[in-house]
Amino acid sequence: MASSSNPISLLTFFSLLFLFLFTSSSAVPTVEVCQSATSPSFCKSFLPSSPASVHSHCRYTLHHALVQARTFITLVDLQLTLLPSFSALHDCRSLAMANLDFISSTVNTVNTTTNALPFYQADEMISLLSAVITNVDTCHDGLAGSGLGLVDKVVKAISFDRQLYSLYLSLFKMGWVSKTMKAPKLPKTNHFGFGNGPLKLKMSPKDRAYYERLMHGKKPAARRLLQTNNADDGILVNGVVAVDQNGAYDFTTINDAIAAAPNKSTAANGYFLIFVTAGIYMESVVVPKSKKYVLMIGEGNNRTIITGNKNVVDGSTTFNSATVIVEGTGFFGANLTITNTAGAIKHQAVALRVSADMTTFYSCIFEGYQDTLYAHSLRQFYRECDIYGTVDFIFGNAAVVLQNCNIYARLPLSGQFNALTAQGRTDQNQNTGIFIHKCTIKPTPDLAASPTTKSYLGRPWKEFSRTVYMQSFIDAFIDPAGWKEWDGTLNLNTSYYAEFDNSGPGSDTSRRAQWAVGVINATVANIFTVSEILAGDQWLPPTAVPYSGGLIS
């Protein structure tokens, strides 16, 4: 079940809190509060009619959100007794458990202050609540069209919960987030990390001794990324294990190494380093949410290969088809290749799915066809990675920046077109989107040899889809329209598709789709950079990964 907390005592606590809060001297009419909500009609029908402050209304909504999160888990558990093998319901349960955690993580902040929050704290809270809505949407998408009447109760509950969580996010932003929220200014040269040099690792003498034994005789590609360092500017490592298929080191499988990582670690305690030697690992790898701050480094992104072939055609959900699934906060992967070999004929087949906050990938390769990289939720950063795919192959509803990456469109099935992105933002208050900065967008040779195949920068999967290409090279294979409709006029008037300072023959915007936002200026584009949209200056420096916080001059 959801929690060991006593629901009766929790209800009593919130009831007393509610009575206290509604004596606030800053009370305003409910109708006035609801005018700024995402759904004014739901807001007016849900909130008490008595005048109260925004903070009081938000706390009232928080109470009900917690109750609904627990109730939904109980409902899904009941349906699973009737449909134990229905994989979409299992996805819903996992997503619901995450939601209970995320909502609970906001309780202390919402209940202890009425002041506008500092930038980094506000961004974290908005990220969590954005992910709550994404998780509800993902559950709904998995159940939609199943034709199973037994899940009707779950679908109905989802509809209410989604409106409730959206209201909570609306009220939270009204009460705790400054309308002019901006990242604190750092020195202009905020390019952190090791560039072309080695990744600096700070270790205890014991870990260093073991690590250096691992590195003995390794190829330059591995040594370049893995060097110890006594200075204060490297990534702190606390524990080292190695994976080798032949049994030369600690584990023969990646999942066994992940299981050995400590639970609920913190960045201050240091990353748990898993070194994966060269080889082809046919595993469905999962980094669960209990395994935080795991640093997984391969011996080379064409030498350490994790591969699988799960796909929707053969019965998986898109959500669970990934070869590698990351749900643990602070995960950092480098020098890895992650593939899904199901092929274009199997349609949705994910290589990597990330549902974890403050995740980083450096010098990795992701290969698939449809739905290669599922940037599902929360804050994610990809640097100097290669992504290969066909239809919607970078998709999801995370706040994600891809920087200095190579994005390669492949030849799809006959009759298909390529869409590089399909962004899934469903609520205008979510801080999510796909932001492609200083990347190179090119076709693979097989696609280049098929000039009749259409390729687009993206298409609006959901109502408030948001994708921005900035300072990137776009090759000539991209259709002059740039952006492709999803289904007729669906989502065209509410999506946000923009470009800034791109180059290359495919960057000409003179014939772009009329419904797209189009070219934006530097002031607007800066909103979608690492420092602003990811609050990356707070959590990226400890990874030692190079990044540009703002636009590149």
Side-chain angles (χ1 to χ4, degrees), residues 17-34 43 47-62 110-111 113-115 167 170-172 174-176:
L17 180 65
F18 172 71
L19 290 173
F20 169 76
L21 291 171
F22 270 71
T23 63
S24 171
S25 59
S26 58
V28 295
T30 299
V31 172
E32 185 176 324
V33 171
C34 289
C43 177
L47 293 179
S49 58
S50 304
S53 68
V54 169
H55 302 96
S56 299
H57 278 311
C58 188
R59 290 163 178 155
Y60 173 85
T61 306
L62 167 59
V110 170
N111 282 342
T113 182
T114 58
N115 297 324
L167 176 60
S170 290
L171 295 172
F172 176 82
M174 287 183 221
W176 282 268

Side-chain angles (χ1 to χ4, degrees), residues 320-358:
N320 250 334
S321 68
T323 300
V324 174
I325 293 172
V326 177
E327 296 180 342
T329 298
F331 179 86
F332 175 20
N335 250 21
L336 304 166
T337 292
I338 301 171
T339 73
N340 190 310
T341 60
I345 196 69
K346 297 295 186 177
H347 298 285
Q348 295 96 332
V350 177
L352 172 69
R353 190 254 292 172
V354 181
S355 304
D357 200 20
M358 297 182 289

Side-chain angles (χ1 to χ4, degrees), residues 237-302:
V237 171
N238 185 3
V240 181
V241 297
V243 181
D244 181 84
Q245 291 174 313
N246 299 316
Y249 298 121
D250 305 288
F251 302 100
T252 58
T253 70
I254 298 170
N255 280 319
D256 284 346
I258 293 169
N263 290 329
K264 299 181 179 179
S265 186
T266 64
N269 292 337
Y271 284 77
F272 184 78
L273 171 58
I274 299 173
F275 176 62
V276 187
T277 61
I280 299 175
Y281 295 82
M282 299 183 69
E283 292 187 60
S284 294
V285 174
V286 178
V287 182
K289 61 184 179 181
S290 61
K291 304 297 182 180
K292 299 181 178 181
Y293 295 95
V294 170
L295 169 59
M296 185 183 297
I297 301 183
E299 198 168 338
N301 62 16
N302 276 309

Side-chain angles (χ1 to χ4, degrees), residues 473-484:
F473 175 86
I474 303 174
D475 215 342
F477 77 105
I478 293 296
D479 189 270
W483 310 99
K484 175 71 174 173

Side-chain angles (χ1 to χ4, degrees), residues 205-249:
K206 178 182 177 182
D207 285 342
R208 183 178 292 110
Y210 182 58
Y211 160 81
E212 289 176 352
R213 182 164 74 86
L214 292 174
M215 288 299 101
H216 180 70
K218 295 299 179 194
K219 292 185 181 255
R223 294 198 305 270
R224 184 180 72 82
L225 271 178
L226 293 168
Q227 293 188 18
T228 55
N229 176 54
N230 293 318
D232 293 330
D233 60 346
I235 179 170
L236 179 63
V237 171
N238 185 3
V240 181
V241 297
V243 181
D244 181 84
Q245 291 174 313
N246 299 316
Y249 298 121

